[in-house]
Amino acid sequence: MLIRKPDALYGTNIPSSEITPKDKWLNRRSLLTGAAAAGALALGADRLADVLSPTRTALAAGKLTTVKSQLSTTGEELTQLQDVTSYNNFYEFGTDKADPGHNAGILPTRPWSVKISGLVKAPKVLDIDSLLKLKPLEERVYRFRCVEGWSMVIPWVGYSLSELIKVCDPLPSAKFVQFTSYFDRKVEKWTSESNIAWPYSEGLRMDEAMNPLTLLTLGLYGDVLPGQNGAPVRVIVPWKYGFKSAKSIVGIKFVDKMPATTWNDLAANEYGFYSNVNPNVDHPRWSQKSERRIGQPFYAQRHPTLMFNGYGDQVASLYNGMDLKKFY
Amino acid sequence: MKKSTLILIKVLVWIACLYPQATLMYGALTNNLGPDPTKTITFTTGSTALNLLVISLGITPLRKLWSKLSWLIKFRRLLGLFAFFYASVHLMAYVGLYSSFDPNTMVQDILKRKFITVGVLAWLLLVPLAVTSTTGMIKRLGGKNWNRLHKLVYLSVSLGIVHYWWQVKQGVLAPLPMTLILTALFVARPLLDWWKARKTARLQAAKA
């Protein structure tokens, strides 16, 4: 593993967005764009050209003021912004990793409201500005591990979801939280590329949602979220596989039974409701023992996968007495 | 066809066939293989192998359809061998970048993960075809036997497509276009044979 001295990156209160010049995150691969375009004789390499020259997605000009967080992961090299924004799973905007970066810019992120419903004292609708102002925004660096076997290290911006849940005032009967993602076939014209029953739905057990690590996420790299990363508001559950971290949330519902979730509905044997990162439980089609770190050279990409993605100290107790091979 | 034209087309086909590999090598040297270099390498080599196999299978139906295109046969071996080359690089990418050269992991993967099982099988089936691709081997086997042996390519490419389907996430339809093209090619052969037979029969009937 590439261990960098934590102090070198996080020694002061400077957000990392100010350490690496923005040009650098954005321009790394621009040189090759010309070369890739020159060889138009693509034979099965049509996608390659796409990967090599991803459209630069302009970030909305919305610098966010953040404070440092004790819950931030240290000692990891950050994945470059260009990779974080050009390698995404967001099937509403296409199934290829580069598609969301090209297509998700049309997400109408303002005005945006999130409907709080279900087992709460008073259902309500919160707009994005009130979410941005609800609590001081923190920068939280987390490892992000996709069920497909790749990973990133991303400086997210947000605050613990528990802060919002407290404001929502759920009833004692609320045992689970269900997140619903934005869905509009007129905007998301790519939904027919996959056989998924939209809108995307995800869920957490109440204690998982209340864990301080679970982040209500409003930005990354010091800016508001780009469309492809789930603008304008999503959750990040760093000890679970990435698909648990629902994007572009329009609904948060408190329920008493385990809610239906998109990937679990599609293939329950591959994607469990819990889906905690676990190197000891293989995906039926591939091993989860190791992962490919995005943005590193091919010969150095493979890293061992950590139990609970390395967040066991904070979350292992949530699953005391549970057989994690059964409840994968 | 003029000899110079043929040479020109040959050069172009070689360039087209080498292009994906060249891009990968250039990308590897300059650390420019996209966000997930391992996946870029496996996806590019795997899909190029399948594309080339499908194209090589299209040659016979095209020749049957237009006799003017019969010169295409001169490229079938080249395309087939390049397909084998990319399938081999694809396999090596798995061995080096996914299993990290660990024999135990490889055995476990082949036994436990059916998409890897069929993938390895598809590659194994291509080996005898590549070995017997030389003119000398065709002569030694005799045309009939050689033809019979090389029917294995249908099985291999089908397994390759299955390998693709089983690898993508449930609900993802990316392998669909290639599957449809291959199905069309499978159907095209008996259909064209039947059409030709009918045409010959009619001609003979007209003569008599």
Side-chain angles (χ1 to χ4, degrees):
Chain A
M1 206 181 286
L2 262 164
I3 306 285
R4 210 184 250 198
K5 259 196 187 159
D7 293 354
L9 267 179
Y10 310 111
T12 65
N13 276 344
I14 305 167
S16 52
S17 56
E18 301 202 9
I19 296 173
T20 315
K22 198 163 187 171
D23 296 3
K24 257 197 171 157
W25 319 332
L26 293 172
N27 275 333
R28 189 166 65 117
R29 276 188 283 279
S30 57
L31 256 182
L32 201 76
T33 310
L41 278 166
L43 223 187
D46 51 340
R47 292 245 188 130
L48 183 64
D50 228 25
V51 170
L52 297 178
S53 57
T55 302
R56 281 200 227 134
T57 314
L59 291 174
K63 274 268 174 207
L64 300 171
T65 314
T66 58
V67 295
K68 229 185 90 172
S69 169
Q70 290 297 313
L71 295 169
S72 220
T73 305
T74 55
E76 295 269 16
E77 191 183 4
L78 296 182
T79 306
Q80 291 189 57
L81 178 66
Q82 193 197 14
D83 290 339
V84 176
T85 55
S86 65
Y87 193 84
N88 309 93
N89 281 326
F90 199 168
Y91 285 6
E92 288 91 324
F93 292 97
T95 52
D96 189 69
K97 292 283 183 293
D99 288 344
H102 295 304
N103 303 333
I106 58 167
L107 244 176
T109 54
R110 254 163 215 273
W112 187 278
S113 51
V114 180
K115 192 179 153 198
I116 312 290
S117 64
L119 304 168
V120 288
K121 286 219 177 84
K124 60 179 140 230
V125 174
L126 294 168
D127 67 25
I128 189 66
D129 288 309
S130 58
L131 287 175
L132 278 161
K133 278 181 232 142
L134 188 71
K135 287 284 155 186
L137 298 174
E138 302 165 23
E139 179 171 81
R140 292 234 200 133
V141 175
Y142 283 153
R143 281 178 287 271
F144 181 91
R145 170 64 154 82
C146 178
V147 71
E148 296 167 346
W150 53 266
S151 62
M152 298 186 181
V153 182
I154 304 173
W156 301 105
V157 175
Y159 47 82
S160 295
L161 176 68
S162 59
E163 305 281 3
L164 173 64
I165 292 180
K166 280 176 209 154
V167 173
C168 295
D169 229 343
L171 301 170
S173 51
K175 297 283 181 277
F176 293 88
V177 193
Q178 181 176 24
F179 306 100
T180 307
S181 295
Y182 175 87
F183 174 57
D184 184 346
R185 214 179 280 279
K186 281 184 231 106
V187 174
E188 298 164 329
K189 302 180 202 94
W190 301 266
T191 43
S192 55
E193 282 181 23
S194 47
N195 256 336
I196 291 172
W198 308 103
Y200 193 85
S201 163
E202 256 310 333
L204 295 171
R205 219 169 55 187
M206 202 60 176
D207 56 347
E208 297 175 325
M210 289 299 288
N211 187 283
L213 280 183
T214 303
L215 191 71
L216 187 79
T217 308
L218 297 144
L220 63 84
Y221 265 111
D223 257 316
V224 297
L225 282 174
Q228 60 268 42
N229 296 93
V233 56
R234 67 176 301 177
V235 284
I236 285 293
V237 195
W239 71 94
K240 291 174 180 286
Y241 293 120
F243 69 90
K244 289 298 293 181
S245 297
K247 288 174 160 172
S248 304
I249 292 172
V250 293
I252 298 179
K253 190 176 180 182
F254 294 87
V255 292
D256 56 353
K257 288 191 185 67
M258 190 180 276
T261 56
T262 298
W263 285 105
N264 186 246
D265 280 354
L266 259 171
N269 63 323
E270 301 194 356
Y271 314 103
F273 176 82
Y274 289 97
S275 282
N276 294 316
V277 175
N278 188 343
N280 308 315
V281 176
D282 285 353
H283 183 278
R285 290 181 288 147
W286 52 81
S287 158
Q288 298 287 31
K289 286 192 183 65
S290 65
E291 63 205 48
R292 310 186 304 279
R293 189 56 58 84
I294 295 303
Q296 297 188 345
F298 70 91
Y299 48 82
Q301 256 195 298
R302 206 149 279 284
H303 294 247
T305 289
L306 307 170
M307 187 66 203
F308 294 116
N309 206 19
Y311 300 102
D313 287 351
Q314 292 104 310
V315 301
S317 60
L318 292 172
Y319 310 101
N320 275 344
M322 275 173 75
D323 179 359
L324 294 178
K325 285 207 161 72
K326 200 173 154 212
F327 298 100
Y328 54 89
Chain B
M1 180 179 292
K2 272 201 294 186
K3 206 172 176 193
S4 57
T5 321
L6 191 68
I7 289 172
L8 180 71
I9 297 175
K10 272 216 164 143
V11 170
L12 289 176
V13 170
W14 269 88
I15 291 173
C17 287
L18 283 169
Y19 174 74
Q21 183 66 16
T23 350
L24 285 181
M25 283 163 71
Y26 181 73
L29 285 174
T30 53
N31 194 18
N32 257 315
L33 284 176
D36 191 349
T38 300
K39 205 184 157 204
T40 306
I41 293 169
T42 41
F43 182 81
T44 306
T45 51
S47 63
T48 305
L50 277 176
N51 285 345
L52 287 171
L53 279 179
V54 169
I55 293 171
S56 72
L57 283 176
I59 285 181
T60 300
L62 277 175
R63 292 174 73 227
K64 284 184 178 167
L65 207 55
W66 295 291
S67 49
K68 268 190 183 164
L69 290 176
S70 58
W71 54 270
L72 280 174
I73 193 69
K74 293 186 201 294
F75 295 94
R76 199 170 61 175
R77 170 161 61 190
L78 186 67
L79 294 173
L81 283 173
F82 263 114
F84 178 65
F85 167 74
Y86 280 103
S88 305
V89 179
H90 184 70
L91 180 69
M92 284 314 294
Y94 160 74
V95 169
L97 304 178
Y98 284 82
S99 80
S100 306
F101 298 102
D102 175 30
N104 196 30
T105 307
M106 282 183 247
V107 171
Q108 283 299 311
D109 274 349
I110 292 170
L111 292 179
K112 261 172 46 186
R113 308 187 204 291
K114 45 186 191 164
F115 92 95
I116 294 183
T117 318
V118 294
V120 170
L121 213 60
W123 179 82
L124 281 174
L125 287 172
L126 288 178
V127 174
L129 309 192
V131 169
T132 58
S133 66
T134 60
T135 317
M137 281 306 271
I138 298 173
K139 280 194 183 135
R140 207 179 302 171
L141 279 170
K144 239 188 194 163
N145 285 331
W146 187 89
N147 259 323
R148 217 178 291 158
L149 177 68
H150 279 247
K151 291 267 186 294
L152 282 178
V153 74
Y154 293 106
L155 189 57
S156 172
V157 71
S158 303
L159 290 174
I161 299 267
V162 171
H163 167 72
Y164 191 6
W165 276 111
W166 282 351
Q167 187 269 326
V168 297
K169 265 195 213 164
Q170 202 120 4
V172 175
L173 308 174
L176 189 60
M178 195 183 275
T179 311
L180 290 177
I181 292 170
L182 186 71
T183 314
L185 288 177
F186 272 119
V187 177
R189 292 194 170 221
L191 215 63
L192 283 166
D193 285 343
W194 170 80
W195 176 67
K196 276 229 155 157
R198 213 181 60 150
K199 214 165 112 182
T200 333
R202 273 195 188 164
L203 278 172
Q204 275 169 352
K207 265 186 204 164

